[in-house]
Amino acid sequence: MTPLRLGILGAARIARLFVEAVRPSQKIVIAAVASRDIQRAKAFASDTGIPRVHASYDALFADREIDAVYVPLPNNLHAEWSIRAARAGKHVLCEKPLAASASEARAMFDAARQHNVYLVEAYPYRAQPQTIKLRELLAAGTIGRLQLIQASFGFPLTDAANIRMNPALAGGALMDAGSYPVSLVRTVAGTLPRRVHAMSRWGDSGVDITTLATLEHPDGVLAQISCTFASARHRHAFIAGDKGSITTAYYNDTSAAFPPLLDVRRGTGWDAAREVIETATSSGFLAEAEAFQDLVRNGWNQWPGATPAESIDIALTLDALAASARSGAVVDVVA
């Protein structure tokens, strides 16, 4: 097996977590890191054991020993540097949200197609055995016809200097935490919502601190999502059909402390049969990175993450939710 040689753009905290998680892999080798601050890149490489350092992102793109890049930059930089990576012939694993808007997301996928490389949006929970099992249960009709989805993600954030609090960097609870429940709804519902209605509480910097929303899908499925920087940490989902329900947490990483459980109820009454399914634990970053290697080597067939169509739908939904939260109106989601 030939490992995929990956370069890292930037030395963000999430990049450090990614490198540490991927270290045991036989499929991925973190071969280089680049930063606009060369001293920061050198310190990052020294701490993480990365063999090569580049003084610019373009220098990393010119490195013929690099097959692909991981993009953990601020949200507003995802499109620019993913497109430049694609033009340099590098495959791209880009952190969520893929882009600051649906138009940017489309431009990114256009560049990937034009230069014959793969571009995907990073949602580690999608590569987890737990999520794969969830999709199998839904596909098998375990809970009947889908009716309702509820998904939430929140954590406390009080540091005003954090990039998530900066509107110029496409920050805010919706763009950061909210992309997770929106992606889960798209995964489960399988379609773009027809219209959305959102409400937000705003922070002093102008970003949303908390957003709640209702999404209506063309087949009648209704979803509710919430995301916040103002609550205790949580990540939960509830999925109800006309013959049962599933309750779960869609963690990026699962362990004994954060077990990958699916609480399945089969039946429509209070006496519905209950089964708690526990899948294997894993690092989401590692599972996602190895799935990315499989994608680059073997194509889309086994990729468990968001497809280009799904990522564009997620971006369209985030655009509509942001517009609704600002206006207070119901907003149609236009593909």
Side-chain angles (χ1 to χ4, degrees):
M1 178 191 302
T2 303
L4 189 73
R5 300 167 298 181
L6 198 68
I8 309 290
L9 299 192
R13 179 177 178 272
I14 194 170
R16 187 178 296 270
L17 296 174
F18 179 87
V19 172
E20 293 298 333
V22 172
R23 189 185 306 281
S25 178
Q26 299 299 307
K27 292 184 174 184
I28 297 282
V29 171
I30 308 298
V33 61
S35 174
R36 289 170 289 184
D37 180 341
I38 186 63
Q39 296 306 319
R40 189 179 184 195
K42 287 180 178 178
F44 184 93
S46 176
D47 290 346
T48 57
I50 296 176
R52 291 201 303 286
V53 174
H54 292 290
S56 71
Y57 303 151
D58 286 324
L60 187 148
F61 296 156
D63 187 340
R64 295 185 178 180
E65 299 299 311
I66 298 298
D67 304 309
V69 297
Y70 171 60
V71 181
L73 300 172
N75 298 338
N76 66 312
L77 298 178
H78 288 181
E80 175 186 355
W81 290 104
S82 293
I83 289 171
R84 291 173 74 159
R87 288 173 177 166
K90 310 300 185 187
H91 305 287
V92 181
L93 175 62
C94 181
E95 264 304 324
K96 61 78 204 164
L98 184 71
S101 67
S103 61
E104 283 189 355
R106 287 192 170 110
M108 294 163 74
F109 285 118
D110 285 345
R113 282 190 292 269
Q114 289 167 11
H115 296 279
N116 197 32
V117 297
Y118 289 102
L119 162 69
V120 289
E121 184 175 16
Y123 285 109
Y125 81 90
R126 283 281 302 252
Q128 288 274 12
Q130 177 182 8
T131 306
I132 293 169
K133 183 62 175 179
L134 170 64
R135 297 177 72 182
E136 290 175 355
L137 291 169
L138 295 172
T142 302
I143 61 171
R145 184 183 177 194
L146 188 62
Q147 301 292 323
L148 173 68
I149 310 165
Q150 296 172 325
S152 61
F153 180 33
F155 53 90
L157 180 61
T158 57
D159 180 8
N162 190 289
I163 63 170
R164 296 176 178 87
M165 294 294 197
N166 191 335
L169 301 181
L174 179 62
M175 290 298 287
D176 188 76
S179 59
Y180 279 104
V182 168
S183 73
L184 182 75
V185 169
R186 176 60 180 82
T187 299
V188 173
T191 62
L192 181 71
R194 185 169 69 87
R195 59 182 181 175
V196 302
H197 191 196
M199 177 183 297
S200 294
R201 296 284 177 90
W202 306 97
D204 293 339
S205 68
V207 303
D208 65 304
I209 300 299
T210 298
T211 293
L212 292 85
T214 302
L215 295 72
E216 180 187 357
H217 291 79
D219 57 0
V221 172
L222 294 175
Q224 297 170 312
I225 66 105
S226 67
C227 52
T228 183
F229 292 155
S231 78
R233 183 173 293 273
H234 65 280
R235 191 191 297 222
H236 302 299
F238 174 73
I239 304 159
D242 61 2
K243 295 181 180 178
S245 66
I246 300 173
T247 303
T248 188
Y250 51 113
Y251 300 123
N252 278 348
D253 297 297
T254 55
S255 63
F258 299 96
L261 304 177
L262 297 160
D263 188 340
V264 182
R265 308 292 179 111
R266 293 178 173 87
T268 59
W270 295 115
D271 59 346
R274 181 187 182 196
E275 179 186 9
V276 178
I277 300 172
E278 183 167 4
T279 62
T281 60
S282 73
S283 159
F285 279 139
L286 176 59
E288 172 185 74
E290 293 195 333
F292 180 57
Q293 190 267 2
D294 291 340
L295 167 66
V296 171
R297 301 301 187 215
N298 304 313
W300 289 107
N301 189 44
Q302 298 299 316
W303 171 243
T307 64
E310 287 175 317
S311 287
I312 289 172
D313 283 356
I314 291 165
L316 287 166
T317 304
L318 291 170
D319 283 353
L321 289 168
S324 178
R326 290 289 180 188
S327 68
V330 175
V331 171
D332 291 335
V333 185
V334 180

